[in-house]
Amino acid sequence: MSFLFVVLTVLLGIAIVFTIAFPYLHQLVYRKRFRHIYARKIYRLAMHKDYYLINKLVLKSHDDSRLVVDHLLFGNKYIYVFYDFYCEADLYGKSTDNSFLIKGKKNNSYTDNPVQIAKRQLKELSVLINIDESLFIPIALVNDSCNIINNDESNSLVYLRKLKSAIEYYENQNVKPLNQEQMMFAVHDISCINLRDHKE
């Protein structure tokens, strides 16, 4: 048995193991870093459209608790409040439900409705930064591999791959554009009170 044959056999074995293991490793990495992956996708959209973006907004609420918003995107017509959500199984529910059913291969569980979470964050944020609630759009961003079932076609529960088209849907609405100069000052003021990078 030649040395070259042994080397080729070992390399082939490594390639086979890698091919089998890659989907599981990819899923593991994605699950641990999905917020970062979502943030990069939103950042690219913001750069392409020349939108203002604040990632991980942390504000002190009136009751001294903290409001954490994963991403705040300032479009031309709306301000988008994002809640990042990840699910590896079938997801059952409608946008109006309090909770969603996660139906796994071995067992089932329930999770708070991510759309309702985004809406609650929107309401609280509107009060904290004194911007009219009607100017906000809640979006629960979900990974593409999640299988959403029985959803009511809500535009607030969005696959990552459909992020661009979801934003375009709202931005194409026949509504008055936001005052960009006021939005610029709002972004600055919000950034100044963002507790993400400040220790108290």
Side-chain angles (χ1 to χ4, degrees):
M1 185 179 295
S2 68
F3 175 75
L4 179 61
F5 178 78
V6 172
V7 171
L8 290 175
T9 301
V10 171
L11 290 177
L12 179 61
I14 293 173
I16 292 173
V17 170
F18 179 79
T19 301
I20 295 172
F22 179 78
Y24 300 99
L25 293 174
H26 179 266
Q27 187 181 58
L28 177 63
V29 172
Y30 198 115
R31 183 171 64 244
K32 289 183 175 296
R33 294 178 55 81
F34 74 94
R35 296 184 189 280
H36 177 71
I37 294 169
Y38 292 3
R40 284 192 305 172
K41 183 86 170 184
I42 298 172
Y43 175 77
R44 287 196 295 267
L45 174 65
M47 292 294 290
H48 178 69
K49 295 290 187 178
D50 198 26
Y51 293 161
Y52 297 111
L53 172 66
I54 299 176
N55 280 318
K56 196 173 182 183
L57 174 63
V58 182
L59 298 178
K60 181 179 287 187
S61 299
H62 295 307
D63 62 357
D64 282 339
S65 63
R66 294 200 173 188
L67 170 67
V68 179
V69 175
D70 291 321
H71 322 279
L72 193 63
L73 180 69
F74 294 78
N76 290 326
K77 295 185 177 180
Y78 292 102
I79 305 170
Y80 303 89
V81 178
F82 286 90
Y83 176 75
D84 294 343
F85 184 76
Y86 183 86
C87 177
E88 296 176 354
D90 293 340
L91 190 66
Y92 292 80
K94 297 180 179 181
S95 62
T96 54
D97 294 339
N98 290 325
S99 61
F100 281 177
L101 170 65
I102 299 176
K103 195 169 185 179
K105 294 180 180 179
K106 296 183 179 180
N107 51 49
N108 301 333
S109 61
Y110 287 90
T111 184
D112 289 341
N113 183 339
V115 174
Q116 294 299 323
I117 293 175
K119 287 182 176 179
R120 289 195 297 270
Q121 291 181 340
L122 180 159
K123 290 179 180 295
E124 187 173 357
L125 182 62
S126 172
V127 173
L128 289 175
I129 63 177
N130 196 29
I131 295 180
D132 192 278
E133 189 177 316
S134 64
L135 299 180
F136 292 92
I137 297 292
I139 292 184
L141 204 56
V142 63
N143 53 299
D144 295 333
S145 58
C146 177
N147 187 25
I148 302 173
I149 302 171
N150 290 346
N151 189 257
D152 51 1
E153 300 299 324
S154 169
N155 290 312
S156 292
L157 187 61
V158 178
Y159 282 118
L160 185 62
R161 68 177 182 273
K162 295 184 177 181
L163 171 63
K164 181 180 177 181
S165 59
I167 298 299
E168 287 177 347
Y169 167 81
Y170 288 110
E171 291 295 306
N172 289 330
Q173 298 297 307
N174 186 23
V175 298
K176 183 180 178 181
L178 300 171
N179 184 307
Q180 292 303 304
E181 186 176 355
Q182 290 179 352
M183 285 301 100
M184 182 179 68
F185 284 115
V187 172
H188 176 267
D189 291 343
I190 294 169
S191 297
C192 288
I193 61 174
N194 189 359
L195 299 177
R196 180 190 62 187
D197 300 319
H198 301 279
K199 293 182 179 179
E200 294 184 336

